Amino acid sequence: MNDKLQILQLVRLRGRTAAADVAASTGLSTDSVDSVVRELCDAGLVQDLRGRLKLTGDGRVELTELIAAEREDVDQAQMSAAYHDFSSVNATFKQLVTDWQLVGEDKPNDHTDAAYDAAVISRLEGVHTDFRPLLERLTELAPRLKMYPARFDAALTKIRDGDHSWLARPLIDSYHTAWFELHEDLIGLAGLTRAEEAAAGRAQ
Protein backbone atom coordinates (compact mmCIF):
# COMPACT_ATOMS: atom_id res chain seq x y z
CA MET A 1 0.00 0.00 0.00
CA ASN A 2 1.25 3.51 -0.81
CA ASP A 3 1.33 5.41 2.49
CA LYS A 4 2.28 8.60 0.69
CA LEU A 5 -0.82 8.40 -1.51
CA GLN A 6 -3.01 7.57 1.47
CA ILE A 7 -1.79 10.56 3.45
CA LEU A 8 -1.87 13.04 0.57
CA GLN A 9 -5.43 12.04 -0.26
CA LEU A 10 -6.68 12.51 3.30
CA VAL A 11 -4.97 15.88 3.59
CA ARG A 12 -6.58 16.95 0.31
CA LEU A 13 -10.03 15.83 1.36
CA ARG A 14 -9.88 17.51 4.75
CA GLY A 15 -8.32 20.78 3.73
CA ARG A 16 -6.35 21.10 6.94
CA THR A 17 -5.89 18.22 9.33
CA ALA A 18 -3.61 17.02 12.11
CA ALA A 19 -1.18 14.15 11.60
CA ALA A 20 -2.78 12.33 14.55
CA ASP A 21 -6.17 12.41 12.80
CA VAL A 22 -4.58 11.06 9.62
CA ALA A 23 -3.06 8.19 11.60
CA ALA A 24 -6.39 7.41 13.29
CA SER A 25 -8.28 7.26 9.99
CA THR A 26 -5.70 5.34 7.97
CA GLY A 27 -4.77 2.88 10.69
CA LEU A 28 -1.11 3.72 10.14
CA SER A 29 1.09 4.14 13.18
CA THR A 30 1.77 7.67 14.43
CA ASP A 31 5.49 7.16 13.82
CA SER A 32 4.86 6.08 10.21
CA VAL A 33 2.61 9.07 9.51
CA ASP A 34 5.06 11.50 11.13
CA SER A 35 7.91 10.08 9.05
CA VAL A 36 6.00 10.34 5.76
CA VAL A 37 4.70 13.81 6.63
CA ARG A 38 8.26 15.03 7.24
CA GLU A 39 9.25 13.71 3.81
CA LEU A 40 6.23 15.36 2.19
CA CYS A 41 6.95 18.68 3.88
CA ASP A 42 10.63 18.54 2.88
CA ALA A 43 9.56 17.85 -0.72
CA GLY A 44 7.18 20.83 -0.71
CA LEU A 45 4.10 18.65 -1.19
CA VAL A 46 2.53 19.43 2.19
CA GLN A 47 2.70 22.43 4.51
CA ASP A 48 2.58 22.14 8.29
CA LEU A 49 0.68 25.19 9.50
CA ARG A 50 0.82 25.20 13.30
CA GLY A 51 0.21 21.48 13.47
CA ARG A 52 -2.34 21.39 10.67
CA LEU A 53 -1.36 19.82 7.37
CA LYS A 54 -2.29 21.41 4.06
CA LEU A 55 -1.67 20.20 0.52
CA THR A 56 0.41 22.47 -1.71
CA GLY A 57 -0.02 22.96 -5.45
CA ASP A 58 2.84 20.56 -6.08
CA GLY A 59 1.20 18.13 -3.69
CA ARG A 60 -1.99 18.16 -5.75
CA VAL A 61 -0.03 17.42 -8.92
CA GLU A 62 1.79 14.57 -7.18
CA LEU A 63 -1.46 13.17 -5.81
CA THR A 64 -3.08 13.23 -9.25
CA GLU A 65 -0.16 11.29 -10.68
CA LEU A 66 -0.20 8.75 -7.84
CA ILE A 67 -3.93 8.11 -8.26
CA ALA A 68 -3.48 7.69 -12.01
CA ALA A 69 -0.71 5.15 -11.39
CA GLU A 70 -2.87 3.32 -8.85
CA ARG A 71 -5.75 3.20 -11.31
CA GLU A 72 -3.56 1.31 -13.80
CA ASP A 73 -3.33 -1.57 -11.31
CA VAL A 74 -7.11 -1.72 -10.76
CA ASP A 75 -9.38 -3.80 -13.02
CA GLN A 76 -11.40 -0.96 -14.52
CA ALA A 77 -14.25 -3.15 -15.75
CA GLN A 78 -14.78 -4.52 -12.25
CA MET A 79 -14.33 -1.08 -10.67
CA SER A 80 -16.90 0.41 -13.05
CA ALA A 81 -19.39 -2.30 -12.12
CA ALA A 82 -18.70 -1.87 -8.41
CA TYR A 83 -19.03 1.90 -8.68
CA HIS A 84 -22.36 1.48 -10.45
CA ASP A 85 -23.54 -0.63 -7.51
CA PHE A 86 -22.18 1.95 -5.08
CA SER A 87 -24.15 4.71 -6.78
CA SER A 88 -27.39 2.96 -5.84
CA VAL A 89 -26.54 2.56 -2.15
CA ASN A 90 -25.08 6.08 -2.16
CA ALA A 91 -28.48 7.48 -3.11
CA THR A 92 -30.02 5.58 -0.20
CA PHE A 93 -27.40 6.90 2.21
CA LYS A 94 -27.78 10.48 0.97
CA GLN A 95 -31.52 10.32 1.65
CA LEU A 96 -30.85 8.87 5.10
CA VAL A 97 -28.54 11.77 5.98
CA THR A 98 -31.09 14.26 4.67
CA ASP A 99 -33.75 12.66 6.86
CA TRP A 100 -31.38 12.84 9.82
CA GLN A 101 -30.85 16.55 9.28
CA LEU A 102 -34.41 17.49 8.30
CA VAL A 103 -37.90 16.44 9.37
CA GLY A 104 -40.14 16.72 6.35
CA GLU A 105 -38.96 18.95 3.53
CA ASP A 106 -37.48 21.91 5.37
CA LYS A 107 -37.76 21.61 9.16
CA PRO A 108 -34.37 21.13 10.83
CA ASN A 109 -34.23 18.04 13.01
CA ASP A 110 -33.64 19.26 16.58
CA HIS A 111 -33.26 15.62 17.70
CA THR A 112 -35.87 15.90 20.43
CA ASP A 113 -37.98 13.13 18.85
CA ALA A 114 -36.18 10.01 20.04
CA ALA A 115 -38.45 7.69 18.07
CA TYR A 116 -37.74 9.56 14.81
CA ASP A 117 -33.99 9.47 15.36
CA ALA A 118 -34.12 5.79 16.34
CA ALA A 119 -35.89 4.98 13.07
CA VAL A 120 -33.18 6.73 11.03
CA ILE A 121 -30.45 4.94 12.98
CA SER A 122 -32.22 1.64 12.35
CA ARG A 123 -32.07 2.41 8.64
CA LEU A 124 -28.36 3.13 8.99
CA GLU A 125 -27.91 -0.30 10.56
CA GLY A 126 -29.54 -1.78 7.46
CA VAL A 127 -27.34 0.21 5.10
CA HIS A 128 -24.26 -0.81 7.07
CA THR A 129 -25.13 -4.51 6.80
CA ASP A 130 -26.24 -4.42 3.18
CA PHE A 131 -23.21 -2.40 2.08
CA ARG A 132 -20.58 -4.67 3.62
CA PRO A 133 -20.35 -7.21 0.74
CA LEU A 134 -19.87 -4.40 -1.79
CA LEU A 135 -17.32 -2.74 0.47
CA GLU A 136 -15.39 -6.00 0.59
CA ARG A 137 -15.44 -6.14 -3.22
CA LEU A 138 -14.06 -2.61 -3.36
CA THR A 139 -11.24 -3.33 -0.92
CA GLU A 140 -10.26 -6.38 -2.95
CA LEU A 141 -10.10 -4.27 -6.09
CA ALA A 142 -8.14 -1.46 -4.39
CA PRO A 143 -6.32 -2.51 -1.19
CA ARG A 144 -5.85 1.15 -0.18
CA LEU A 145 -9.55 1.19 0.71
CA LYS A 146 -9.10 -1.40 3.46
CA MET A 147 -9.20 1.31 6.13
CA TYR A 148 -12.89 1.98 5.48
CA PRO A 149 -14.59 -1.05 7.10
CA ALA A 150 -12.94 -0.23 10.44
CA ARG A 151 -13.89 3.44 10.13
CA PHE A 152 -17.54 2.64 9.45
CA ASP A 153 -17.59 0.09 12.27
CA ALA A 154 -16.03 2.56 14.72
CA ALA A 155 -18.50 5.33 13.87
CA LEU A 156 -21.48 2.98 14.12
CA THR A 157 -20.28 1.68 17.48
CA LYS A 158 -20.25 5.25 18.86
CA ILE A 159 -23.74 5.84 17.45
CA ARG A 160 -24.99 2.64 19.08
CA ASP A 161 -23.42 3.78 22.34
CA GLY A 162 -25.58 6.90 22.22
CA ASP A 163 -23.34 9.55 20.68
CA HIS A 164 -25.42 10.32 17.61
CA SER A 165 -23.07 13.09 16.46
CA TRP A 166 -21.04 10.30 14.87
CA LEU A 167 -23.68 9.84 12.19
CA ALA A 168 -23.15 13.04 10.22
CA ARG A 169 -21.11 15.57 12.19
CA PRO A 170 -18.35 17.23 10.12
CA LEU A 171 -14.76 17.59 11.32
CA ILE A 172 -14.80 14.22 13.08
CA ASP A 173 -14.48 10.74 11.57
CA SER A 174 -18.25 10.31 11.51
CA TYR A 175 -20.05 7.78 9.35
CA HIS A 176 -20.81 10.52 6.84
CA THR A 177 -17.19 11.73 6.81
CA ALA A 178 -15.96 8.22 6.04
CA TRP A 179 -18.66 7.80 3.38
CA PHE A 180 -17.79 11.08 1.68
CA GLU A 181 -14.09 10.23 1.62
CA LEU A 182 -14.75 6.73 0.29
CA HIS A 183 -16.88 8.25 -2.47
CA GLU A 184 -14.05 10.60 -3.39
CA ASP A 185 -11.62 7.68 -3.53
CA LEU A 186 -13.98 5.74 -5.78
CA ILE A 187 -14.43 8.70 -8.10
CA GLY A 188 -10.67 8.86 -8.56
CA LEU A 189 -10.25 5.12 -8.97
CA ALA A 190 -13.00 5.01 -11.58
CA GLY A 191 -11.31 7.79 -13.58
CA LEU A 192 -14.17 10.23 -13.01
CA THR A 193 -14.35 13.76 -11.59
CA ARG A 194 -16.60 15.25 -8.93
CA ALA A 195 -17.93 17.71 -11.52
CA GLU A 196 -19.03 14.81 -13.71
CA GLU A 197 -20.65 13.08 -10.75
CA ALA A 198 -22.40 16.26 -9.67
CA ALA A 199 -23.77 16.74 -13.17
CA ALA A 200 -25.07 13.16 -13.05
CA GLY A 201 -26.68 13.81 -9.66
CA ARG A 202 -24.47 11.28 -7.86
CA ALA A 203 -22.23 13.63 -5.86
CA GLN A 204 -23.03 14.21 -2.20
XYZ file of all heavy atoms in Angstrom, residues 74-87 134 137-138 141 186 189-192:
177
model
N -5.751 -1.339 -11.151
C -7.107 -1.723 -10.764
C -7.874 -2.171 -12.007
O -7.851 -1.496 -13.037
C -7.839 -0.555 -10.080
C -9.296 -0.913 -9.806
C -7.134 -0.166 -8.783
N -8.543 -3.301 -11.913
C -9.379 -3.797 -13.016
C -10.520 -2.805 -13.232
O -11.454 -2.725 -12.428
C -9.920 -5.180 -12.663
C -10.693 -5.817 -13.812
O -11.534 -5.127 -14.422
O -10.472 -7.008 -14.081
N -10.440 -2.039 -14.315
C -11.404 -0.962 -14.521
C -12.808 -1.464 -14.845
O -13.791 -0.804 -14.506
C -10.906 -0.021 -15.611
C -9.764 0.886 -15.159
C -10.151 1.756 -13.963
O -11.112 2.508 -14.022
N -9.400 1.635 -12.870
N -12.916 -2.605 -15.479
C -14.254 -3.148 -15.754
C -14.953 -3.503 -14.442
O -16.137 -3.191 -14.240
C -14.139 -4.379 -16.655
N -14.202 -4.166 -13.546
C -14.785 -4.521 -12.252
C -15.041 -3.282 -11.395
O -16.049 -3.207 -10.682
C -13.859 -5.485 -11.516
C -13.787 -6.860 -12.142
C -13.061 -7.852 -11.255
O -13.311 -7.937 -10.059
N -12.135 -8.592 -11.846
N -14.130 -2.301 -11.445
C -14.331 -1.079 -10.672
C -15.549 -0.316 -11.175
O -16.336 0.229 -10.390
C -13.081 -0.200 -10.740
C -13.214 1.145 -10.016
S -13.677 0.994 -8.256
C -12.158 0.280 -7.586
N -15.730 -0.272 -12.489
C -16.895 0.412 -13.055
C -18.186 -0.247 -12.591
O -19.151 0.435 -12.218
C -16.817 0.400 -14.580
O -17.948 1.024 -15.149
N -18.208 -1.584 -12.578
C -19.395 -2.304 -12.121
C -19.641 -2.065 -10.638
O -20.787 -1.854 -10.207
C -19.227 -3.800 -12.401
N -18.565 -2.087 -9.856
C -18.696 -1.870 -8.415
C -19.146 -0.439 -8.130
O -19.971 -0.202 -7.237
C -17.378 -2.167 -7.712
N -18.627 0.516 -8.899
C -19.025 1.905 -8.683
C -20.492 2.112 -9.056
O -21.205 2.888 -8.406
C -18.147 2.851 -9.499
C -18.425 4.301 -9.179
C -18.009 4.844 -7.963
C -19.133 5.108 -10.062
C -18.296 6.162 -7.646
C -19.418 6.421 -9.752
C -18.991 6.945 -8.546
O -19.285 8.249 -8.225
N -20.947 1.417 -10.077
C -22.365 1.481 -10.445
C -23.222 0.985 -9.286
O -24.251 1.595 -8.943
C -22.616 0.633 -11.687
C -24.050 0.609 -12.127
N -24.961 -0.319 -11.648
C -24.738 1.413 -12.983
C -26.144 -0.086 -12.184
N -26.035 0.954 -12.999
N -22.800 -0.105 -8.656
C -23.542 -0.628 -7.511
C -23.470 0.337 -6.331
O -24.448 0.504 -5.587
C -22.990 -1.996 -7.102
C -23.254 -3.071 -8.147
O -24.147 -2.864 -8.993
O -22.564 -4.109 -8.130
N -22.322 0.982 -6.162
C -22.176 1.953 -5.078
C -23.121 3.132 -5.273
O -23.682 3.660 -4.309
C -20.732 2.456 -5.008
C -20.546 3.588 -4.040
C -20.402 3.338 -2.678
C -20.520 4.912 -4.481
C -20.249 4.386 -1.773
C -20.366 5.962 -3.586
C -20.223 5.693 -2.226
N -23.308 3.553 -6.513
C -24.155 4.711 -6.784
C -25.574 4.501 -6.262
O -26.224 5.441 -5.787
C -24.187 5.008 -8.285
O -22.906 5.369 -8.750
N -20.403 -5.269 -0.739
C -19.868 -4.404 -1.790
C -18.577 -3.750 -1.318
O -17.616 -3.638 -2.089
C -20.894 -3.335 -2.169
C -20.434 -2.277 -3.179
C -19.908 -2.915 -4.466
C -21.559 -1.297 -3.476
N -15.842 -6.093 -1.808
C -15.439 -6.138 -3.223
C -14.509 -4.978 -3.549
O -13.490 -5.143 -4.227
C -16.667 -6.058 -4.130
C -17.427 -7.351 -4.342
C -18.726 -7.094 -5.102
N -18.531 -6.425 -6.388
C -19.500 -5.773 -7.035
N -20.719 -5.686 -6.513
N -19.255 -5.224 -8.208
N -14.849 -3.802 -3.062
C -14.061 -2.614 -3.358
C -12.666 -2.708 -2.763
O -11.677 -2.319 -3.395
C -14.786 -1.367 -2.833
C -16.077 -0.996 -3.581
C -16.873 0.030 -2.800
C -15.750 -0.461 -4.976
N -10.524 -4.917 -4.853
C -10.096 -4.270 -6.088
C -8.995 -3.246 -5.836
O -8.063 -3.104 -6.631
C -11.292 -3.577 -6.755
C -12.309 -4.473 -7.445
C -13.555 -3.671 -7.802
C -11.706 -5.087 -8.698
N -13.405 6.525 -4.682
C -13.979 5.743 -5.779
C -14.074 6.566 -7.065
O -13.849 6.036 -8.160
C -15.362 5.224 -5.380
C -15.394 4.232 -4.217
C -16.833 3.808 -3.924
C -14.529 3.014 -4.513
N -10.608 6.451 -8.474
C -10.246 5.117 -8.966
C -11.006 4.749 -10.230
O -10.513 3.966 -11.048
C -10.514 4.080 -7.869
C -9.500 4.069 -6.726
C -10.044 3.283 -5.538
C -8.174 3.475 -7.193
N -12.198 5.297 -10.391
C -12.997 5.014 -11.585
C -12.649 5.951 -12.743
O -13.244 5.846 -13.825
C -14.486 5.113 -11.258
N -11.708 6.874 -12.510
C -11.309 7.787 -13.579
C -12.331 8.863 -13.857
O -12.375 9.412 -14.968
N -13.141 9.209 -12.855
C -14.173 10.226 -13.011
C -13.752 11.507 -12.289
O -12.677 11.569 -11.702
C -15.500 9.710 -12.439
C -16.030 8.416 -13.056
C -17.194 7.874 -12.231
C -16.450 8.657 -14.497
